[in-house]
Amino acid sequence: MTRPTLSHAAMTQFPLAGDELLVGGMPLTRLAERVGQTPFYAYDRQAISARIDSLKAVLPARLELHYAIKANPMPALVAHIASRVDGLDVASAGEMRVALDAGMPAAAISFAGPGKRPQELRQAVAAGVCLNAESITELQRLHEASQALGVPARVALRVNPDFELKSSGMRMGGGAKPFGIDAEAIPAALRRLAELELQFEGFHLYAGSQSLRAEALIDAQSASFELALRLAADAPGPLRILNLGGGFGVPYFPGEARLDLAPIADHLAALDAQLLSAQPQARLALELGRYLVAEAGVYVCRVQDIKQSRDTTFLITDGGLHQHLAASGNFGQVIRKNYPVLLGNKAGQSADQRYSVVGPLCTPLDVLGSEVMLPQAAIGDLFVVLQSGAYGASASPRGFLSHPDVIEILV
Ligand SMILES: *Cc1c(COP(=O)(O)O)cnc(C)c1O
């Protein structure tokens, strides 16, 4: 039987020193000693900064680059990013607190999400952040909060567009969706917003996540832009912000290549120029989560046992799906595929042995690598899952089976 020959995109964000992977400039074995336990997540400041710098170098200068906190809400990481981007996007009052603690001015924070509780809306009005309203009910509640507090509510409307982001990992708009207000209902929502004396800020669209096709992102951005300009004709005031969402993907699986930014940046420059003449007060915004942080993070666990079962050699680690649901294939994947993995203390050695890598949970779903190639392994080795900076610790069922919790560090 021939095995598939597809390989992972080259991962060069962490250099080697001898056999050791360097994370935050420190050999992984020593970093594990510093942390004092496995498993842990480590996020590399340098890698995050480099990613943001490379984006800023190509995006139009007037465009606002926002970070969507839900990708990774670790407070130290959010604070690191806050000083390097133009805004933060939050999806709960808890995330709003992290964003404000990070020092981001309220004026540069926006709050989206279906089913915001009345209390959260009131907190957001009190804080002075921009609310991305997702229903008429929310508009009514924002009016009430604004009246009660004597503070004007700054409101953008989240639009559920009449198209989808093609070939994305997760579709967040188009068709029947709980997110946003259907495009055809926006004119009525704008009238209601004006009657309720809410301060109109603009539109927010978010078509989908994890797209690796520049063409698909460009199409969605074009369609979002045109739709928003059409809808702006019914707005009670000038457009200030046109948030085109995120969705930039990173390569996780064999055969995937990094997103080609150049055509996206060129296209955004053209949209920016168009916006400047049509709505001079308005700024374009991108809200990226995964793209800013995913490649800067590693998940590190330790081999606890090595077992041969019939034709398969299992590495049993102290990490698993309870801490890294996405790498186990149970967070939005249809067919399980392997994340890029390695042995962090043997990263310089040739990967010529085949292993299946599992966690300690009593479920066959607890797989971190199926039939992956690694150097000859030993108990005590550090097993590393790359591309782990987004949708990791906070997107995993950490209470499942009551193991000790994972630690997160920023290095
Ligand atoms: C999750 C989310 C994002 C971030 O998406 P990524 O695919 O991680 O870039 C942006 N905006 C909204 C509204 C979201 O819900």
Side-chain angles (χ1 to χ4, degrees):
M1 197 182 101
T2 55
R3 297 197 175 263
T5 52
L6 292 178
S7 54
H8 284 100
M11 301 286 157
T12 55
Q13 55 276 56
F14 303 106
L16 297 187
D19 274 353
E20 290 269 345
L21 193 71
L22 293 179
V23 179
M26 190 179 273
L28 196 66
T29 303
R30 181 164 161 198
L31 189 63
E33 292 295 333
R34 197 202 99 177
V35 176
Q37 72 158 59
T38 50
F40 62 92
Y41 279 93
Y43 313 119
D44 189 313
R45 297 168 204 271
Q46 232 4 77
I48 295 171
S49 301
R51 174 53 57 98
I52 294 173
D53 290 348
S54 67
L55 261 170
K56 283 187 166 171
V58 297
L59 291 174
R62 257 166 40 94
L63 182 142
E64 291 187 10
L65 178 62
H66 295 193
Y67 173 56
I69 288 190
K70 90 170 186 285
N72 189 329
M74 185 212 193
L77 173 142
V78 174
H80 178 76
I81 294 178
S83 61
R84 291 169 170 78
V85 296
D86 305 303
L88 294 174
D89 293 309
V90 303
S92 68
E95 287 190 355
M96 182 178 81
R97 195 172 68 229
V98 173
L100 290 167
D101 284 348
M104 185 57 80
I109 297 173
S110 61
F111 185 168
K116 300 180 203 72
R117 286 173 286 119
Q119 176 61 34
E120 287 182 299
L121 291 167
R122 196 169 159 133
Q123 287 173 254
V125 172
V129 308
C130 176
L131 272 302
N132 294 331
E134 313 223 1
S135 73
I136 300 291
T137 310
E138 283 194 351
L139 293 180
Q140 185 63 41
R141 288 176 178 158
L142 286 168
H143 169 73
E144 287 158 18
S146 177
Q147 294 294 109
L149 300 172
V151 177
R154 301 171 48 228
V155 182
L157 294 182
R158 179 167 180 183
V159 183
N160 176 29
D162 39 15
F163 56 87
E164 296 192 334
L165 174 55
K166 288 178 217 114
S167 70
S168 72
M170 233 176 260
R171 290 183 181 177
M172 303 283 291
K177 288 285 184 300
F179 312 112
I181 299 170
D182 288 350
E184 52 278 23
I186 290 289
L190 286 167
R191 282 194 294 280
R192 192 75 191 118
L193 186 150
E195 286 162 15
L196 293 170
E197 296 177 329
L198 301 169
Q199 186 181 316
F200 177 69
E201 295 284 328
F203 295 113
H204 171 225
L205 295 100
Y206 177 66
S209 186
Q210 178 53 17
S211 177
L212 287 169
R213 281 187 44 213
E215 213 181 300
L217 283 162
I218 287 171
D219 286 351
Q221 286 166 357
S222 268
S224 297
F225 183 84
E226 281 157 28
L227 176 59
L229 281 198
R230 250 185 291 131
L231 294 172
D234 287 316
L239 201 60
R240 292 178 206 282
I241 193 85
L242 174 43
N243 185 334
L244 293 177
F248 291 24
V250 301
Y252 288 109
F253 307 122
E256 291 182 343
R258 284 197 171 69
L259 187 61
D260 184 5
L261 273 186
I264 299 173
D266 288 349
H267 176 253
L268 285 169
L271 293 184
D272 185 50
Q274 238 179 294
L275 189 65
L276 189 57
S277 61
Q279 296 272 351
Q281 316 80 340
R283 303 268 294 262
L284 286 177
L286 283 182
E287 45 173 15
L288 301 179
R290 187 190 314 271
Y291 192 77
L292 299 192
V293 293
E295 304 210 50
V298 290
Y299 176 61
V300 182
C301 53
R302 201 179 286 280
V303 177
Q304 303 292 318
D305 204 349
I306 301 180
K307 264 166 74 167
Q308 187 72 31
S309 170
R310 314 258 146 73
D311 61 350
T312 299
T313 311
F314 288 97
L315 301 186
I316 302 176
T317 71
D318 54 6
L321 81 76
H322 56 312
Q323 296 173 352
H324 201 330
L325 189 65
S328 78
N330 295 291
F331 187 67
Q333 278 191 56
V334 181
I335 299 163
R336 192 191 174 285
K337 296 182 201 135
N338 289 320
Y339 268 49
V341 297
L342 49 83
L343 293 181
N345 55 319
K346 296 178 176 172
Q349 300 179 13
S350 75
D352 53 7
Q353 304 289 312
R354 188 180 306 278
Y355 294 107
S356 281
V357 185
V358 301
L361 307 189
C362 294
T363 160
L365 300 178
D366 193 12
V367 176
L368 291 176
S370 174
E371 309 243 316
V372 293
M373 298 307 290
L374 296 170
Q376 182 76 46
I379 289 173
D381 281 347
L382 295 171
F383 178 73
V384 175
V385 182
L386 298 168
Q387 305 297 78
S388 295
Y391 303 108
S394 72
S396 299
R398 278 145 65 184
F400 189 40
L401 271 92
S402 304
H403 283 282
D405 202 4
V406 68
I407 283 179
E408 296 177 86
I409 59 165
L410 181 70
V411 284

